[in-house]
Amino acid sequence: MVDISTRVVTLGGAVPYPGVRHAGGLYVHHLTQSLSERGLVEVIAPDHLANQKALEDADARVSAHLVGRWASSSARQRLLQRGVGIVERGWRRIDPAAPPLGILASLYLDQRVRESVTSADIVDLQWFEFVRLAPHIRHLNPKAKIFGTFHDVLSQLYARRAEEGDAARWRRAEALAIAAERRSFRHLDRVLTLNEKDAELLRQRGAADVSVIDPPLAPVSLPERNTLGSSPEIVFVGYFARQVNVDAAAWFIAHVWPSVLASVPDARLKLVGLDPDAALAPLVSRAANAAALGFVDDLSPVYADASVVVVPLLSGSGVKFKTIQAMTYGIPTVSTTVGAEGVAHSDELEAVTDDPAAFAQAVTGILRDQPAADRRARDLAGKLAATYGEERFQETVKSIYAPHEQRTALVTDAVTVVIPYYGDPTDTLNLIEQLRPQEGLAEIIVADDASPVPFPDQVGVRVVRREANGGFGAAVNTGAALVSTDLMLVLNSDLDIGTTFIRDLLASAKALPTAVVSPQVLKASGAPEWTARSFPRTRHHVVE
């Protein structure tokens, strides 16, 4: 993925390992696995018990270094460390997304950390608190590429909390977060998010180069369903160390679950996920047919038995992995608006609603016709497989972290011709006859743009018919979707071409970099036809 000489240093809150128990750590695990296939990757994270245990299961290819206990050589440094902790706790009361001061101090006081950062080619900052270290990274290593991944846009989260209560505190936190976001943008070479909604929000805040990396959550194959002939199971998966997930469970149990049980008395609610503080115990003790299962190593059996997955989040920010995972596993899913935001095809969920009665009605509706809901959910999973699949993830990571990596050479000795068609087929048939004997021709595709006179089937020609007329560009895209060669040639149907047209065009284009090129087109008079175009700019669209 990364050239073997490239050194990537990742600073974040968690050491990634297989089976990591929260969504952000799962993403970082996938990322470091991808980067370590051919590069040198080091993770720098805080020294605490969870990360110490994570080191036991971490991939040996990823070097991990825990920091924050840098003050051990003298009484003076131990006193300094204690002071840093006190200051950080006080700072976070005012600025909840404050950068980790222990890590910041380690950048300057821990020799290994400093050497790792100053020798890195790419410094990768995960989570906003660590993104805020970007100015210090730039100071220590002016030549490094600095990437910042916003797992959430915390300023949006704080704005939502201000609407729920303690408005003065959270409005102040929102303002501080927005200011910190904008400061960070000045020092980042690349801003990364995990969904397009957050990417657009950060662009509005002034981020210039923002890319989206969709998390690879789709399973290799869908689990066999096991929902018939047993009590229906409603499942909520969450990391219950986070208060937003506990609040979501409390809302669902108090306001939705009684209505579900009134309609389906044998339904069972399962809350699945790590709950280190036992916050769910009082909730499930008061609810009929409810249980907290704790952390589960493999969710596949849980999803196989689940009749419905619910995502009842009322607050939060960022894309919800729990929603994506349920959808990609082909499980009927009901969500609130917060739980669905940023998720591809979220408009095709069984329901997206914040109203308790409508939420309960959607759940019971699924239970009354489980086979139909399962069919819809599996169809939706098929649509999402490419977006949230491993192949898409690997390609995106490569394009961002190793854009200049040498690629397999293009095959430039053959081309597929795409001809958009509408109207009378005479010109198109004439062009096809000129193309058939051409050297270097791989295939001819005719894209029929819902023409009133359908294009007739021809031997050796693939015809694809659009259901509705979309214009020239839409017809080209329809034909291009079927092209399997590296090179594609789009031709208007009314052209006359020479006998060596394709061979000459391929020979001329071979020396050029990967690009969009055009041959010289002549009018019937022999005068050159103007064919050069610039890609449309904002001004063009405004005029149009």
Side-chain angles (χ1 to χ4, degrees):
M1 181 62 62
V2 182
D3 183 81
I4 193 65
S5 62
T6 300
R7 293 181 56 85
V8 179
V9 173
T10 294
L11 280 77
V15 172
Y17 64 97
V20 63
R21 302 186 177 193
H22 53 89
L26 178 64
Y27 168 78
V28 177
H29 170 64
H30 284 297
L31 176 66
T32 54
Q33 288 291 292
S34 179
L35 296 175
S36 66
E37 287 179 5
R38 287 172 47 199
L40 304 174
V41 181
E42 180 178 5
V43 173
I44 297 174
D47 188 350
H48 53 63
L49 184 60
N51 279 338
Q52 291 169 14
K53 292 181 66 66
L55 284 178
E56 300 172 5
D57 299 317
D59 191 325
R61 295 177 299 173
V62 177
S63 172
H65 179 49
L66 302 185
V67 300
R69 298 182 186 274
W70 41 268
S72 59
S73 59
S74 69
R76 181 179 178 182
Q77 283 204 341
R78 288 194 296 272
L79 181 62
L80 178 60
Q81 182 180 28
R82 186 177 302 173
V84 166
I86 294 172
V87 171
E88 182 170 349
R89 287 190 293 273
W91 189 2
R92 287 188 183 278
R93 291 192 185 97
I94 301 170
D95 184 358
L101 294 187
I103 300 292
L104 174 57
S106 296
L107 291 174
Y108 295 97
L109 299 175
D110 186 315
Q111 183 176 355
R112 177 177 171 180
V113 172
R114 190 169 62 252
E115 289 178 352
S116 294
V117 169
T118 56
S119 63
D121 299 295
I122 297 173
V123 178
D124 182 50
L125 304 174
Q126 295 288 330
W127 291 282
F128 179 50
E129 295 90 333
F130 289 82
V131 170
R132 292 180 66 171
L133 297 173
H136 300 277
I137 302 297
R138 180 64 69 204
H139 171 72
L140 291 170
N141 189 346
K143 296 181 179 179
K145 294 286 187 182
I146 305 176
F147 297 164
T149 300
F150 290 71
H151 290 237
D152 323 74
V153 179
L154 291 183
S155 56
Q156 182 184 58
L157 172 63
Y158 300 152
R160 288 173 172 170
R161 287 184 176 174
E163 295 173 358
E164 298 166 3
D166 201 358
R169 177 193 176 194
W170 292 114
R171 288 299 179 196
R172 181 176 62 243
E174 177 194 7
L176 290 170
I178 291 173
E181 288 164 2
R182 290 172 173 161
R183 281 195 302 272
S184 300
F185 296 155
R186 296 198 293 267
H187 300 279
L188 295 174
D189 295 287
R190 205 75 176 262
V191 174
L192 306 176
T193 72
L194 307 185
N195 66 93
E196 183 56 40
K197 182 268 296 181
D198 284 353
E200 183 56 33
L201 182 55
L202 292 178
R203 292 185 190 107
Q204 294 172 11
R205 299 269 167 82
D209 191 354
V210 186
S211 300
V212 175
I213 303 181
D214 293 304
L217 299 176
V220 176
S221 60
L222 296 182
E224 291 295 327
R225 304 285 281 131
N226 185 31
T227 57
L228 299 179
S230 59
S231 297
E233 294 185 0
I234 289 79
V235 172
F236 175 33
V237 177
Y239 181 52
F240 294 104
R242 297 192 65 187
Q243 188 61 41
V244 291
N245 291 323
V246 177
D247 291 344
W251 177 83
F252 182 83
I253 288 173
H255 301 289
V256 179
W257 188 233
S259 298
V260 174
L261 284 179
S263 297
V264 187
D266 64 335
R268 297 186 177 277
L269 173 63
K270 291 185 175 180
L271 305 175
V272 182
L274 189 66
D275 181 18
D277 301 320
L280 298 179
L283 299 178
V284 298
S285 67
R286 297 193 298 267
N289 296 358
L293 302 189
F295 177 74
V296 175
D297 287 315
D298 182 7
L299 285 171
S300 296
V302 174
Y303 285 137
D305 294 340
S307 302
V308 187
V309 168
V310 294
V311 188
L313 292 167
L314 303 178
S315 185
S317 57
V319 70
K320 308 304 178 291
F321 282 28
K322 56 180 72 70
T323 311
I324 298 171
Q325 200 163 39
M327 294 167 70
T328 58
Y329 271 74
I331 315 303
T333 303
V334 179
S335 176
T336 55
T337 51
V338 170
E341 64 183 5
V343 178
H345 294 283
S346 60
D347 58 330
E348 297 183 50
L349 287 165
E350 289 297 307
V352 178
T353 178
D354 298 327
D355 178 68
F359 203 111
Q361 186 176 9
V363 172
T364 55
I366 293 168
L367 301 182
R368 291 194 184 99
D369 193 353
Q370 189 75 52
D374 284 349
R375 285 194 297 273
R376 293 192 297 270
R378 292 176 86 84
D379 288 345
L380 178 56
K383 297 179 183 179
L384 294 170
T387 301
Y388 297 112
E390 183 68 25
E391 182 177 353
R392 166 80 169 268
F393 175 75
Q394 295 287 351
E395 290 175 353
T396 306
V397 171
K398 176 181 175 181
S399 69
I400 292 170
Y401 287 82
H404 303 300
E405 185 179 44
Q406 185 175 0
R407 301 177 181 179
T408 304
L410 295 176
V411 177
T412 59
D413 58 359
V415 65
T416 297
V417 173
V418 174
I419 307 173
Y421 164 77
Y422 186 88
D424 187 328
T426 303
D427 286 342
T428 306
L429 290 169
N430 178 55
L431 176 59
I432 288 172
E433 291 308 309
Q434 296 178 67
L435 286 168
R436 288 187 187 277
Q438 296 270 333
E439 180 181 343
L441 176 68
E443 185 180 21
I444 300 172
I445 297 174
V446 174
D448 186 329
D449 195 18
S451 173
V453 181
F455 190 80
D457 291 333
Q458 298 290 301
V459 175
V461 177
R462 186 167 7 170
V463 180
V464 56
R465 307 184 195 280
R466 290 176 49 81
E467 294 182 359
N469 180 262
F472 181 84
V476 170
N477 288 338
T478 299
L482 302 177
V483 173
S484 58
T485 55
D486 287 338
L487 301 182
M488 176 181 74
L489 176 61
V490 180
L491 294 179
N492 285 340
S493 59
D494 58 352
L495 291 175
D496 287 315
I497 59 175
T499 57
T500 61
F501 170 73
I502 288 182
R503 185 185 67 192
D504 295 342
L505 187 61
L506 288 175
S508 298
K510 194 167 187 177
L512 299 174
T514 305
V516 178
V517 297
S518 171
Q520 174 66 70
V521 178
L522 301 178
K523 300 178 181 178
S525 64
E529 178 75 68
W530 181 67
T531 58
R533 296 288 192 276
S534 297
F535 284 99
R537 297 171 182 258
T538 302
R539 183 177 61 184
H540 172 88
H541 290 292
V542 171
V543 172
E544 288 290 301

